[in-house]
Amino acid sequence: MDIARGRLVPWHVTNTFEIYARWRHRFAPGVTHNTEHVFGFTLPERVPVTLSPTEHVAFRWLPWREAADKCFSWSNRDAIVMLGERP
């Protein structure tokens, strides 16, 4: 599957929030806030999931409501809820 056949859809939603102190070492010195831009990416068919071993150890497909309930991040949770409400 060529991902170039997919479609990137901007949702025109941004979330800006303070970065927890325990995660700030991952950012440039002095950076205390992060801005996320929310978008969707659709593919014409399912593709195998490939995980980066340095970033993830597992994945699981869930119904959107259950996935949203399991999110630590409020911005990820809100994006999943918006996804579930999209036509």
Side-chain angles (χ1 to χ4, degrees):
M1 157 61 66
D2 177 5
I3 64 166
R5 293 184 357 185
R7 188 169 68 103
L8 184 68
V9 181
W11 290 8
H12 306 289
V13 174
T14 58
N15 298 309
T16 300
F17 53 88
E18 186 172 359
I19 301 164
Y20 289 119
R22 68 178 176 260
W23 302 118
R24 288 188 187 161
H25 69 279
R26 298 178 177 190
F27 296 82
V31 174
T32 60
H33 286 75
N34 190 39
T35 299
E36 295 177 337
H37 300 271
V38 183
F39 61 90
F41 186 78
T42 59
L43 292 167
E45 59 193 51
R46 287 184 183 248
V47 297
V49 175
T50 303
L51 301 179
S52 168
T54 61
E55 187 173 356
H56 301 287
V57 296
F59 78 94
R60 182 172 21 160
W61 292 112
L62 297 170
W64 70 266
R65 285 183 181 93
E66 189 176 343
D69 287 343
K70 292 187 178 295
C71 284
F72 166 79
S73 162
W74 65 266
S75 61
N76 290 345
R77 181 189 61 243
D78 288 358
I80 291 171
V81 170
M82 285 188 292
L83 176 65
E85 294 172 347
R86 292 178 74 83

